[in-house]
Amino acid sequence: MKKRQVNFELLRILCMYMIVVGHCLFHGRVTAKLGYGTTNYFLSYLIQSFSVVHVNCFVMLTGYFSIDREFRAQRLLKFWRQVAFYSTVICLICGVCMGVNRADVIKAVFPVSSGNYWFASVYMGLSLLMPFAGMAAVRLTKKQYQYLLVLLALFFSVNHMIFRVNAYGSYVGRELPWFLFLALLAGYIKLHTRPEGRYFRYGLFGYAAASFAVLASVYLSVRLHQEDIGYFLNYNSPLALAATGCLFLCVKNMPWRENRLDKVIQKTAGAAFGVYLIHDNYLIRYLVWDTFRASKVARTHWAVIYAVLIAAVVYGICTFLELLRQWMFQKVGKWYMKTALYAKEQRFCARLDALLDMTDGRGGGE
């Protein structure tokens, strides 16, 4: 296991925990019940400001490890199975316990196409486009790559900040064009930057500065009675982009010595996406936080601290469930690999891999 890979696995865990805390504050209706000007109100937006990088970093991790790697349809199929499993199982459980309608069933059966999980839908599109993005990335010179990234940042981030219109296909940073830009940005960091210790310090400082700037923008918006007080909390805002890039550089250059925790970190990080699929399914997302009475303590002095703690509990429970699913799939997989359906699946994946094989003649230039 390489040192930087462990660093990135830590980032994966941190970002998913940020997502869980954010969902607790939002879906748990904690932030909505906090009084303006209170300590908890400030702490809530402080957490959100430093967490604005979570989805962006998740996407950049995919871009970083996929930009120069061969496409494998089996990985994409594995991703779809994970999404379909949780979508179907949660729908079945909810159907038995409290009832579901026809639309819920359709979303469960077609979780990616129906947008049951918005991130999974966009991520699937990104994964299918990554081979083409990688082919372009390794052939661009460093200056050409920089020019491309600047143009995309202007289109998807700066232009939207100024005019607040969806002119180029990215409105709040949940769209495929924005994901593709982030993947290319991560690819540039991988292909054209060298590890240097000073970038760890610079990146950490830049991340903190950009996050505090996001917090300041929220405060000023409220003071000036602006309607969109959370604009810079959008994933594609320039401040969110700056914070994301700085944190990614920081983690890439973070000093790390191999130790006994490496395997635990890798195992936990491997379950991170499952944490999202379990706790944020739209059928149970409010039930999860109501079970922990998140909204009931929103007006207490320890509301935000409580939210942070129960987010850790939810994260732990979901991690256990995802590891259990992985173990179950491994057991079932041994039987499935002996079936004729598996053989057909392998042939299909092999044809798709061959179609998207872009390794021949790859090479980049300065």
Side-chain angles (χ1 to χ4, degrees):
M1 187 188 305
K2 294 183 180 179
K3 177 175 61 176
R4 289 199 306 274
Q5 290 178 327
V6 177
N7 293 351
F8 285 130
E9 296 308 296
L10 282 171
L11 177 62
R12 195 184 306 275
I13 295 171
L14 174 63
C15 288
M16 182 50 65
Y17 178 63
M18 289 178 175
I19 289 172
V20 177
V21 173
H23 287 163
C24 179
L25 293 173
F26 183 72
H27 297 313
R29 299 179 291 277
V30 175
T31 301
K33 293 188 176 182
L34 297 177
Y36 172 70
T38 64
T39 300
N40 278 322
Y41 185 91
F42 171 79
L43 288 176
S44 172
Y45 276 106
L46 177 66
I47 290 173
Q48 293 180 64
S49 298
F50 274 80
S51 300
V52 72
V53 301
H54 46 46
V55 170
N56 288 350
C57 282
F58 245 99
V59 178
M60 288 187 68
L61 285 169
T62 297
Y64 187 89
F65 290 109
S66 301
I67 198 69
D68 57 353
R69 185 171 66 174
E70 294 182 29
F71 176 84
R72 286 290 178 265
Q74 197 65 43
R75 287 196 294 262
L76 206 57
L77 188 59
K78 181 180 178 182
F79 168 81
W80 180 86
R81 281 176 177 152
Q82 183 185 14
V83 176
F85 173 81
Y86 283 118
S87 179
T88 304
V89 169
I90 292 174
C91 183
L92 284 173
I93 295 174
C94 290
V96 172
C97 296
M98 55 188 183
V100 295
N101 57 40
R102 182 180 299 178
D104 295 327
V105 175
I106 293 175
K107 286 185 177 182
V109 177
F110 303 99
V112 174
S113 300
S114 65
N116 195 353
Y117 298 97
W118 75 265
F119 181 88
S121 298
V122 182
Y123 184 89
M124 179 67 81
L126 173 66
S127 298
L128 290 169
L129 291 177
M130 277 308 300
F132 304 98
M135 182 178 65
V138 298
R139 283 170 169 77
L140 291 171
T141 66
K142 186 175 182 179
K143 289 185 177 180
Q144 289 171 338
Y145 208 149
Q146 290 172 344
Y147 180 66
L148 173 64
L149 292 177
V150 169
L151 282 179
L152 294 179
L154 290 173
F155 292 156
F156 301 147
S157 183
V158 177
N159 183 79
H160 183 267
M161 178 188 68
I162 296 173
F163 297 104
R164 306 294 176 90
V165 293
N166 188 15
Y168 297 103
S170 181
Y171 192 69
V172 295
R174 295 187 174 193
E175 301 80 20
L176 182 57
W178 180 250
F179 274 36
L180 188 58
F181 163 65
L182 291 174
L184 288 170
L185 176 60
Y188 178 87
I189 291 175
K190 182 175 186 178
L191 298 173
H192 296 292
T193 64
R194 297 177 180 178
E196 291 189 30
R198 58 176 178 159
Y199 289 137
F200 168 72
R201 300 187 299 274
Y202 295 162
L204 185 60
F205 176 79
Y207 165 61
S211 298
F212 276 119
V214 172
L215 180 63
S217 73
V218 173
Y219 175 78
L220 289 174
S221 296
V222 173
R223 295 289 293 178
L224 297 175
H225 304 288
Q226 298 294 318
E227 292 184 4
D228 192 1
I229 66 170
Y231 172 77
F232 284 101
L233 291 171
N234 289 340
Y235 304 142
N236 65 332
S237 75
L239 291 179
L241 177 59
T244 300
C246 288
L247 180 59
F248 204 85
L249 277 175
C250 172
V251 172
K252 180 179 185 292
N253 295 278
M254 181 173 68
W256 182 268
R257 293 182 179 180
E258 293 185 4
N259 58 67
R260 296 176 182 178
L261 291 177
D262 287 358
K263 291 183 179 181
V264 177
I265 292 171
Q266 191 175 41
K267 195 101 177 156
T268 304
F273 189 63
V275 173
Y276 162 70
L277 294 175
I278 297 169
H279 88 276
D280 200 44
N281 184 289
Y282 79 99
L283 291 173
I284 63 171
R285 61 164 60 118
Y286 295 107
L287 178 62
V288 168
W289 303 116
D290 287 344
T291 301
F292 288 94
R293 302 174 61 85
S295 64
K296 300 296 183 182
V297 298
R299 295 194 181 277
T300 65
H301 294 298
W302 44 289
V304 175
I305 295 176
Y306 181 76
V308 170
L309 292 176
I310 62 173
V313 173
V314 170
Y315 191 103
I317 294 172
C318 292
T319 297
F320 171 78
L321 293 174
E322 167 59 12
L323 292 175
L324 183 62
R325 182 204 65 84
Q326 292 178 13
W327 175 82
M328 183 179 68
F329 270 43
Q330 288 176 355
K331 296 297 182 182
V332 175
K334 293 179 181 179
W335 167 83
Y336 178 65
M337 291 173 65
K338 299 176 182 179
T339 64
L341 181 60
Y342 177 76
K344 292 181 180 179
E345 174 191 300
Q346 290 299 104
R347 288 195 293 271
F348 171 78
C349 289
R351 287 196 294 269
L352 188 56
D353 290 343
L355 177 65
L356 297 177
D357 182 10
M358 301 179 183
T359 57
D360 294 338
R362 272 189 168 184
E366 293 292 320

